[in-house]
């Protein structure tokens, strides 16, 4: 059954069916063969609805909305002008700033999809204007957003911590090392990319120009204050911070800058709704598909056949990495963690592996998988938001995936990348 | 722009022109929407399209308002809006199901078109018909079973814990959305059968957006 | 030989998971059927697995009555504070002998297509907070996370706190950053979900004991042979005894583990005197329950009180 399901899904996807159809078809085949007919398809509907309902997903439309208002108005450009005033003259400066902004925003907002929209939305046009190739820009945005999984607060780590009984504080700290390492690698790559394709730099700004840029950006600098200050300061949950940004963006663009009228507000809200819908139906269909995988106990069968019980520590870590990577290519990361962690738990335990290290490796794989075709959730978010073809969104991905996998392998052989900070912080 | 295009072409010859146009250019003008249906049915269809658009916009605005109000309530009044979460759930379901039909009308559903676009037109057209028919069938199937699901919820009398209203009120959009989406794809299949050219939706011809343009 | 599917709301090594594993072991030892276990989240949320049990996709499900309130309003009686005793032995006897549980509830579940197999306690609910709590005054203005249930909201409002519904996945982060300053759960759950890492004080107010219920799909259950029904009910009985034993000392053990992991954690058991102001709010919540608890709210509440008196008299 698994072969038929995955085969059908890939064929439908490649033929150009709307992406919800491969996911729906995969679930349909699953439901029909599991329950011997169409009798339980209402549970498939239940799962689709269950997939789009979680309260924590509300941050996604809210950040889409805020970013759309900022981009149509002046806020986004004023913020980017500020960044450019300081790094515009550096080779790859804009790309490195984009990667850093995605990492930071993703870390704080807790949602990689929101990051793709909120940071990628305003920055992509500027990067294109600066002369970067679109595939590079898209891949940079999607992959840098995924670093967010590793940097606290991370929902993935919280779920892992709860399911495996591992200290969440330790996980949070262990994620920082690999997260920063990846950001550094992306930055170095961006620098060499800009050099290789000779992306032009802007003239270095004078200090008076910089002061001017700061002044122009004073109002929009309220956004980072709301998001970082609001969330880390314990005033907002990420979802609430997103809604607060919407409110602030509306005040700036409609009252302060007078850039937006009610008609444009309506158009922006509608466009946000449309993007939300095409992304969320995929999230819902993906949830129905996850249900089939989980109900049929496909991971248990596959892993049982491989024989994880008799493996050495390195083999176990590699198997875990591959299992999570493949899982997240098809299924929502949270569900993958919920299903796979209990399956691996006894093996991890008996091999005496550090659960914090395992958690960090899993979180990294989840991040990679979410940015990886065919069904990585950040890929379809990017397609919906940037209205670029699927092939173009994924074309620039390979170098990033290679860097991420390099870090994943490094992490297995040099666990100190993750555990160094943890040991420092939790030293007896 | 020429310098950029050259640089682009030296390593990725097939890249289309940059999509850096401001988002506002992509806005769908609902007054320009032409239904794929004739006569009275067409008038009804145009009205439904309008309603979908309004629901999308209102849904998003209400969601923002509800979420902000919850924060304000918590800090200024010392009381959370205890039904805030459920209201957002209701809104996200509304937005999703009003939106999938609206997206189908305007050919906005996400698809991987690389292979499709590379095929010659005489293969693309029948494939488009197959895609539209299969998608419509899947949507109608889900319409049927979501009616069943809504019916079950109604008959069990399940209530939302905080709002204390029946659950089925907030999920009734699912069958509606699936049905209207299925209808759009069915109409797209018909449009492709009786008209020449290749139609991505009843109102969107292939090549209308720049995804298609590169191949023309 | 059939495969029976059993879903529950917690992880494999938490209380519901332990119960399910014992049940599986017993069924598989005494019949040729196999039981597949689906822990928290693998088949959807609590309401999803409940619906699947109702529609017969799942044969068994564990859902806490508090969550069942949307379906069977009477089940919310378990959220009325200071109703259940904290003494574990009394509690076990109550669950075994209670007329409310064994006679009044089953027909209510049957109306929903479910066979109520058993209810069992999961442990005393405790508050974990960032500031110490000695009385309702200390909860004033404290944003306290509760499940989205009207009675819990009412309880904490009556305690003086600002009840703040938050999805479970956001609770850890919200405690860490300070959006909320407290949450409640049984000790084993505070330990396993690491809530103690982001709070500093545990307070035992004794206001509730978390209860859960195991059910079977009614059609499935009635379609079983008498022999098979006996296998099921024997397995439930064995798992019940097992879980009562398992829990003896579990609370203390969990608290010790917390203390070991975070020595600075304070654990305070409020005296009867200190509990008095909390207890005085119970009436308010009881009234609310009678209002929203469905047709049989009064009957169930009265019967539970009578059952508890009987347990007291018997011991
Ligand atoms: Na994060
Ligand atoms: Na994914």
């Amino acid at each position: 059954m698994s072969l038929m399901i995955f085969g059908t899904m890939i064929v439908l996807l490649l033929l150009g069916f709307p992406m919800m159809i491969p996911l729906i078809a995969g679930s349909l085949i699953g439901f029909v063969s599991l329950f011997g007919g169409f009798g339980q398809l209402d549970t498939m509907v239940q799962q689709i609805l269950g997939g789009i309902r979680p309260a924590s997903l509300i941050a996604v439309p809210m950040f889409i909305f805020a970013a759309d208002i900022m981009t149509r108005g002046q806020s986004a450009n004023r913020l980017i002008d500020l960044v450019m005033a300081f790094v515009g003259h550096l080779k790859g400066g804009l790309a490195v700033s984009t990667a850093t902004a995605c990492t930071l925003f993703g870390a704080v907002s807790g949602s990689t999809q929101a990051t793709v929209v909120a940071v990628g939305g305003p920055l992509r046009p500027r990067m294109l204007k600066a002369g970067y190739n679109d595939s590079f820009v898209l891949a940079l945005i999607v992959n840098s957003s995924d670093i967010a999984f590793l940097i606290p607060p991370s929902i993935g780590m919280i779920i892992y911590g709860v399911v495996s009984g591992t200290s969440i504080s330790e996980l949070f700290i262990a994620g920082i090392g690999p997260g920063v390492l990846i950001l550094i690698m992306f930055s170095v790559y961006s620098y060499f990319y800009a050099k290789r394709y000779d992306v032009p730099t802007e003239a270095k700004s004078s200090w008076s120009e910089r002061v001017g840029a700061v002044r122009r950006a004073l109002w929009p600098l309220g956004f980072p204050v709301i998001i970082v200050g609001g969330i880390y300061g314990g005033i907002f949950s990420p979802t609430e911070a997103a809604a607060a940004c919407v409110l602030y963006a509306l005040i700036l663009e409609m009252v302060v800058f007078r850039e937006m009228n009610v008609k444009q507000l309506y158009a922006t809200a509608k466009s946000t709704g449309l993007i939300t819908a095409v992304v969320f139906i995929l999230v819902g269909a993906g949830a129905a598909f996850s249900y089939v995988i989980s109900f049929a106990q496909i991971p248990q069968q596959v892993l049982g056949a491989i024989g994880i019980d008799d493996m050495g520590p390195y083999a176990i870590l590699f198997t875990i990495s591959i299992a999570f990577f493949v899982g997240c290519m098809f299924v929502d990361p949270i569900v993958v963690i919920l299903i796979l962690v209990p399956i691996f738990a006894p093996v991890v335990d008996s091999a005496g592996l550090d659960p914090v290290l395992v958690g960090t490796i899993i979180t990294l794989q989840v991040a990679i998988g979410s940015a990886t075709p065919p069904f990585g959730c950040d890929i379809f978010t990017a397609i919906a938001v940037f209205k670029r073809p699927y092939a173009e969104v994924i074309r620039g991905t390979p170098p990033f995936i290679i860097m991420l996998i390099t870090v994943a392998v490094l992490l297995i052989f040099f666990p100190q990348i993750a555990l160094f900070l943890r040991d420092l912080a939790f030293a007896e | 722009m020429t310098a950029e295009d050259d640089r682009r072409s030296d390593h990725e010859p097939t890249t289309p022109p940059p999509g850096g146009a401001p988002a506002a250019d992509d806005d769908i003008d609902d007054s320009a929407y032409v239904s794929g249906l004739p006569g009275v049915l067409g008038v009804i269809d145009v009205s439904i399209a309008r309603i979908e658009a309004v629901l999308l916009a209102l849904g998003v605005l209400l969601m923002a308002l509800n979420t902000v109000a919850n924060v304000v309530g918590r800090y200024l009044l010392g009381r959370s809006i205890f039904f805030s979460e459920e209201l957002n759930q209701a809104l996200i379901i509304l937005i999703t199901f009003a939106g999938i039909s609206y997206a189908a009308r305007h050919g906005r559903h996400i698809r991987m078109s690389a292979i499709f676009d590379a095929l010659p037109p005489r293969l693309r057209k029948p494939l488009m018909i197959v895609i539209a028919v299969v998608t419509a069938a899947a949507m109608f199937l889900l319409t049927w079973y979501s009616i069943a699901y809504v019916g079950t919820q109604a008959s069990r009398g399940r209530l939302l814990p905080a709002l204390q209203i029946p659950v089925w009120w907030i999920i009734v959009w699912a069958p509606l959305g699936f049905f209207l989406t299925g209808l759009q794809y069915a109409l797209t299949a018909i449009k492709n059968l009786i008209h020449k050219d290749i139609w991505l939706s009843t109102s969107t011809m292939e090549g209308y957006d720049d995804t298609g343009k590169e191949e023309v | 030989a059939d495969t029976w599917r059993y879903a529950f709301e917690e992880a494999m090594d938490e209380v519901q998971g332990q119960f399910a594993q014992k049940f599986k072991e017993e069924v598989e030892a005494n019949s040729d059927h196999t039981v597949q276990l689906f822990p928290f989240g693998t088949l959807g949320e609590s309401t999803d697995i409940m619906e699947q049990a109702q529609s017969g996709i799942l044969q068994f499900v564990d859902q806490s009555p508090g969550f069942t309130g949307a379906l069977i309003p009477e089940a919310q009686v378990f959220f009325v504070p200071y109703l259940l005793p904290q003494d574990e032995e009394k509690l076990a006897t109550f669950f075994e002998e209670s007329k409310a549980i064994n006679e009044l509830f089953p027909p209510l579940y049957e109306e929903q297509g479910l066979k109520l197999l058993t209810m069992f306690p999961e442990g005393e609910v405790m508050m974990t907070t960032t500031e110490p709590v000695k009385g309702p005054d200390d909860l004033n203005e404290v944003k306290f996370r509760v499940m989205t249930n009207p009675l819990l909201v009412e309880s904490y409002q009556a305690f003086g706190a600002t009840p703040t519904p938050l999805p479970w996945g956001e609770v850890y982060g919200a405690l860490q950053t300070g959006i909320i300053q407290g949450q409640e759960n049984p000790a084993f759950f505070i330990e396993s979900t690491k809530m103690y890492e982001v709070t500093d004080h545990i307070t035992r107010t004794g206001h509730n004991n978390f209860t859960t219920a195991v059910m079977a799909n009614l059609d499935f259950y009635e379609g079983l042979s008498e022999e098979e029904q006996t296998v099921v009910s024997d397995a439930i009985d064995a798992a019940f005894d097992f879980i009562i034993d398992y829990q003896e000392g579990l609370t203390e053990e969990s608290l010790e583990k917390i203390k070991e992991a975070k020595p600075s954690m304070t654990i305070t058991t409020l005296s009867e005197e200190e509990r008095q102001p909390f207890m005085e709010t119970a009436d308010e919540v009881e009234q609310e329950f009678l209002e929203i608890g469905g047709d049989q709210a009064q009957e169930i509440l009265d019967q539970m009180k009578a059952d508890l008196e009987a347990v007291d008299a018997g011991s």
Side-chain angles (χ1 to χ4, degrees), chain A residues 328 331 375-377:
Chain A
C328 291
V331 172
F375 297 102
C377 58

Side-chain angles (χ1 to χ4, degrees), chain A residues 106-108 110 148-155:
Chain A
V108 180
F149 273 110
L150 285 162
I151 298 185
S154 158
I155 296 278

Side-chain angles (χ1 to χ4, degrees), chain B residues 74 78-79 149 153 156 159 161, chain C residues 51 54 70 148 150 157 162:
Chain B
R74 193 169 69 229
R79 251 170 204 251
Y149 183 67
Q153 294 289 322
R156 283 178 188 156
L159 297 178
Chain C
E51 285 175 26
Q54 285 181 288
T148 321
Q157 215 133 39
T162 303

Side-chain angles (χ1 to χ4, degrees), chain C residues 269-312:
Chain C
T269 309
L270 296 189
S271 65
E272 280 304 309
E273 213 171 307
E274 289 167 318
R275 285 179 184 185
Q276 210 50 47
F278 286 110
M279 287 185 184
E280 279 160 17
T281 66
D283 268 348
E284 241 172 276
V285 185
E286 217 174 272
Q287 285 312 313
E288 174 82 8
F289 167 70
L290 292 177
E291 241 165 78
I292 64 166
D295 303 335
Q296 296 185 50
Q298 187 78 57
E299 192 185 344
I300 295 255
L301 187 65
D302 292 347
Q303 186 61 51
M304 282 194 47
K305 286 182 176 169
D307 295 342
L308 285 161
E309 268 167 37
V311 173
D312 271 337

Side-chain angles (χ1 to χ4, degrees), chain A residues 178-215:
Chain A
V180 171
L181 179 62
I182 294 167
L183 178 60
I184 292 172
M185 287 173 93
F186 284 3
S187 301
V188 172
Y189 173 69
S190 298
Y191 170 75
F192 282 108
Y193 182 93
K195 241 183 135 163
R196 157 81 175 75
Y197 295 108
D198 198 24
V199 179
T201 50
E202 291 182 3
K204 188 169 179 175
S205 307
S206 69
W207 278 103
S208 72
E209 283 170 323
R210 287 179 179 175
V211 170
V214 171
R215 201 171 279 153

